[in-house]
Amino acid sequence: MNRIPHHRIVYEKLRKHIVEGVYAEGDMLPSENELCILYGVTRPTVRKSLDALMNEGYIKKHQGKGSIVRGLPKAVGILSLTGTTSAIGEENLKTKIIVKPELRKWEKAFDFPITDIEKDSGCIYMERLRLVNNKPVFYDINMIPNINLPRFTSRNFENKSLFDILRKYYQIQVTGGEQQIMASIADDRLRKHFRISKNHPVLQLNRKIETNRMNFFFYSQVFCNTDEYVLEGTF
């Protein structure tokens, strides 16, 4: 198994402390020198970790002062690189697995074409229902290339973040993507899970998500019941 780089270990620890409120908005992180001592790593390693946190919006750097916590990402975050779990908070977001991760053949990913390598490798397919404050708001279908993802289908995704699992266990970080946004009418499956009436409109997003792993993309189709929530964020 590939060893996790030291800068990723430091990044994960600091990110966890920010998410869990150990460091609140406006707090100063320990200095680079202190972090080197705490984690037994070099200054370039610490700087790489801090740069990742800054690029994701968790901290801001002030020359002569250090790293200041900006807080958690705002808004619902379905359009955000940080993901829905980070934006809403684990205490407010629940995830139910409707179709457990399983290996399937595929010819395309929703409306996105896929490469021959992706076709030959197959995809890991899963469906999830996501509830915000116990109200069903998101239903998503995910298709992930079965390329160098050992034991992925055996992992527990109940009340877990897909982005976090890819980042923590496979060092796959979301970097951007493209998406198609449209209105659609809820089918029987969505009406059942969203508890809505016939002909109820929902927002549909087809997404091709780019990552830091070269030529590795994953794909999702997200249906949103926006009766009580406005979607915001950048992508």
Side-chain angles (χ1 to χ4, degrees):
M1 178 179 291
N2 293 334
R3 189 176 167 191
I4 299 176
H6 288 149
H7 74 273
R8 295 301 303 178
I9 295 173
V10 176
Y11 162 87
E12 290 292 346
K13 288 182 181 295
L14 292 175
R15 183 182 184 277
K16 184 173 186 288
H17 289 163
I18 294 171
V19 170
E20 293 182 352
V22 176
Y23 297 112
E25 184 174 353
D27 286 350
M28 295 282 297
L29 291 184
S31 68
E32 291 183 1
N33 186 53
E34 289 171 330
L35 291 172
C36 290
I37 295 171
L38 283 171
Y39 297 115
V41 295
T42 64
R43 192 176 291 270
T45 296
V46 166
R47 286 178 177 167
K48 197 169 184 179
S49 305
L50 294 174
D51 284 345
L53 290 169
M54 182 178 66
N55 291 337
E56 292 176 17
Y58 287 99
I59 66 172
K60 54 186 175 183
K61 288 185 177 181
H62 284 281
Q63 190 162 356
K65 292 183 178 180
S67 300
I68 301 175
V69 175
R70 296 182 62 182
L72 298 181
K74 302 295 190 296
V76 171
I78 191 66
L79 307 180
S80 171
L81 297 183
T82 56
T84 313
T85 302
S86 293
I88 297 173
E90 291 184 356
E91 70 279 6
N92 299 318
L93 179 69
K94 303 298 180 185
T95 301
K96 294 183 178 180
I97 305 304
I98 306 301
V99 177
K100 293 181 179 180
E102 61 184 26
L103 185 62
R104 293 188 179 185
K105 295 181 179 179
W106 59 341
E107 292 297 325
K108 65 177 183 176
F110 311 115
D111 289 329
F112 299 106
I114 59 174
T115 66
D116 289 338
I117 292 175
E118 288 175 321
K119 289 179 184 178
D120 292 342
S121 301
C123 79
I124 298 171
Y125 178 97
M126 62 186 295
E127 296 186 19
R128 307 180 301 172
L129 178 67
R130 317 199 76 188
L131 300 92
V132 180
N133 296 319
N134 293 318
K135 178 179 177 59
V137 176
F138 306 116
Y139 193 98
D140 62 64
I141 304 167
N142 297 281
M143 303 175 78
I144 306 167
N146 183 41
I147 301 173
N148 195 21
L149 296 175
R151 295 185 294 280
F152 191 87
T153 57
S154 64
R155 294 195 180 278
N156 177 23
F157 287 87
E158 197 82 15
N159 292 323
K160 303 290 184 182
S161 163
L162 174 60
F163 282 19
D164 283 353
I165 287 174
L166 287 169
R167 190 188 72 252
K168 289 180 180 178
Y169 297 106
Y170 303 99
Q171 289 76 64
I172 296 175
Q173 185 82 27
V174 173
T175 59
E178 60 179 292
Q179 56 191 358
Q180 306 159 347
I181 304 176
M182 64 202 79
S184 62
I185 299 299
D187 59 16
D188 290 343
R189 170 192 54 181
L190 293 176
R191 290 202 300 270
K192 172 186 174 184
H193 289 298
F194 285 155
R195 301 193 290 272
I196 54 180
S197 60
K198 189 175 181 180
N199 296 325
H200 192 291
V202 293
L203 186 67
Q204 177 181 334
L205 296 87
N206 295 339
R207 311 169 79 193
K208 178 180 180 179
I209 299 173
E210 301 170 357
T211 72
N212 61 335
R213 184 185 287 185
M214 185 173 293
N215 297 322
F216 186 94
F217 308 92
F218 64 97
Y219 308 84
S220 67
Q221 187 173 69
V222 185
F223 297 95
C224 312
N225 180 16
T226 59
D227 282 350
E228 297 181 14
Y229 291 91
V230 175
L231 305 183
E232 301 178 2
T234 58
F235 190 74

